[in-house]
Amino acid sequence: MSDAAAVNIAREAANPSPLQQLFGYRLADWGPDRAVVAYEVKPEHLNRTGRLHGGVLASLLDTAMGYAGCFVDEPGGYRACVTLSLTTNFIASVRDGPLTAEARRTGGGRSVFFATAEIRDAAGALVASGTGTFRYVASP
């Protein structure tokens, strides 16, 4: 991991978004065109059948893909985006345990980028996958 990645991951951990605080995910790895988001299933995020709500999975895919497109290889560098479209595929249900969302920026240009992501459980089984289109925006 580069010095820039370590500094920028630490910045994200020190300044979590309200959604990050609600869900409890963390940015585990970040580099050029790639991001990994880690999440531990919480009872308050289960649906009425006792399975992780699909909206949480969609949010984790969206978050990981956004990070994958916004890496800046400069300590303290910052880039932001908004989601233009998101397609989510639910493969398996989950009731507990750790999940990892790994995303890759697959293309794009100066204002729009494309990304894919997969969520896997602790055993490596595929839980969900997604694709997205994102637009870069000015920092808040």
Side-chain angles (χ1 to χ4, degrees):
M1 179 181 312
S2 72
D3 289 343
V7 167
N8 294 343
I9 288 173
R11 180 199 61 230
E12 292 295 315
N15 300 290
S17 71
L19 182 69
Q20 183 177 358
Q21 291 175 31
L22 179 67
F23 283 1
Y25 63 79
R26 68 179 177 81
L27 182 59
D29 194 14
W30 202 12
D33 298 330
R34 181 178 177 276
V36 177
V37 171
Y39 166 79
E40 181 78 29
V41 175
K42 296 182 178 185
E44 59 269 27
H45 298 154
L46 302 179
N47 63 23
R48 61 188 206 168
T49 68
R51 293 171 177 89
L52 183 62
H53 192 283
V56 175
L57 292 169
S59 293
L60 292 171
L61 291 166
D62 183 45
T63 298
M65 288 187 283
Y67 273 123
C70 289
F71 178 76
V72 177
D73 197 15
E74 169 187 321
Y78 185 83
R79 194 168 201 187
C81 68
V82 294
T83 307
L84 298 176
S85 70
L86 177 67
T87 300
T88 304
N89 304 299
F90 301 105
I91 315 298
S93 62
V94 177
R95 294 178 185 273
D96 58 17
L99 298 177
T100 303
E102 184 168 351
R104 297 215 176 268
R105 181 183 182 275
T106 58
R110 297 179 73 194
S111 60
V112 172
F113 72 91
F114 309 99
T116 62
E118 292 182 342
I119 296 177
R120 295 187 179 272
D121 65 14
L126 184 62
V127 173
S129 65
T131 59
T133 304
F134 302 82
R135 181 172 45 89
Y136 293 114
V137 296
S139 300

